[in-house]
Amino acid sequence: MRSAVGILAMVVALQVVLGRAASADEPTDQRSDDARFEELLRAIDVVPPDRGALEAIFPDAWARLDRAARQDERDTWSRIRAVSLLSYFPEARTRATLEALAGVADKEVRRQAIYTLGRGFGAVADRALVRFIEARTGDAEPEVAAHAVRSLRFVDHPEAKLALERIADKGPAGLRTLARTTIDKRELRLKEPKRGH
């Protein structure tokens, strides 16, 4: 468990990176939360260490991420970042958002939503979630279908192994080898809990 001092240090570092700290050019109070949030979504290598750090800066983080992820007019990169950061909120409302996003027109958003479902909800997944992800292996875009297979690696529910075996046996030809290797990677992950989700 992280110490309170360690968490505070991470929050301060994140605030500095997002421009929350005052600079000579621009006082903090002149920067809006919206602008800082957009900076977070457009960053390449800035990732909050956990939900607490994210909510320390944006108390309404979930609502902001949900809104950004669902905006069809938004650029793909920032939508993907929003989808990915929703993994900090493994709750029913997030699952509903990710399942909705698994059907949008933007294939990259679909891919990330499906992968985040497996990765973010794998530890608490039920049979319905496994079946939902398995159905996405039929996506017309090969990369989306492949990410559905890959996401099953992180699902602890026993149905995930059965789904991977079905794909390896009778799934689309391009996914069979991937399903077999994913079965092995999943088994290894389950034997070594330190690897986590």
Side-chain angles (χ1 to χ4, degrees), residues 63-125:
R64 287 175 178 275
L65 292 170
D66 184 73
R67 188 168 47 251
R70 291 176 181 267
Q71 289 175 332
D72 290 335
E73 67 278 9
R74 181 179 275 280
D75 63 282
T76 298
W77 170 255
S78 64
R79 287 185 78 188
I80 288 173
R81 284 273 290 178
V83 170
S84 180
L85 290 171
L86 279 170
S87 66
Y88 287 133
F89 303 87
E91 306 160 5
R93 61 185 180 169
T94 302
R95 180 169 164 176
T97 292
L98 295 173
E99 288 181 357
L101 293 172
V104 298
D106 189 321
K107 67 181 181 181
E108 293 302 320
V109 174
R110 283 200 317 274
R111 178 188 61 75
Q112 188 63 45
I114 294 164
Y115 190 74
T116 303
L117 271 170
R119 186 98 191 204
F121 288 84
V124 296

Side-chain angles (χ1 to χ4, degrees), residues 22-76:
S23 69
D25 297 15
E26 188 172 26
T28 302
D29 58 357
Q30 290 183 5
R31 295 179 47 78
S32 72
D33 282 345
D34 290 344
R36 285 191 296 274
F37 184 72
E38 286 301 316
E39 287 176 14
L40 174 65
L41 291 185
R42 297 185 187 292
I44 295 173
D45 57 358
V46 176
V47 180
D50 54 36
R51 176 177 178 164
L54 181 59
E55 289 182 319
I57 298 171
F58 304 108
D60 59 345
W62 185 87
R64 287 175 178 275
L65 292 170
D66 184 73
R67 188 168 47 251
R70 291 176 181 267
Q71 289 175 332
D72 290 335
E73 67 278 9
R74 181 179 275 280
D75 63 282
T76 298

Side-chain angles (χ1 to χ4, degrees), residues 114-119 122 125-137 145-168 178-179 182-183 185-187 189-190 197:
I114 294 164
Y115 190 74
T116 303
L117 271 170
R119 186 98 191 204
D126 55 20
R127 185 184 308 267
L129 183 63
V130 175
R131 295 290 173 92
F132 182 88
I133 294 171
E134 183 180 6
R136 284 3 203 218
T137 64
H147 268 68
V149 173
R150 289 185 186 103
S151 74
L152 289 170
R153 169 185 174 186
F154 302 102
V155 177
D156 293 350
H157 194 283
E159 184 66 25
K161 181 178 181 183
L162 299 175
L164 287 166
E165 289 172 346
R166 285 190 291 270
I167 298 164
L178 177 60
T182 302
I183 290 170
K185 289 179 179 180
R186 180 179 178 274
E187 291 300 313
R189 183 186 63 77
L190 291 173
H197 287 270

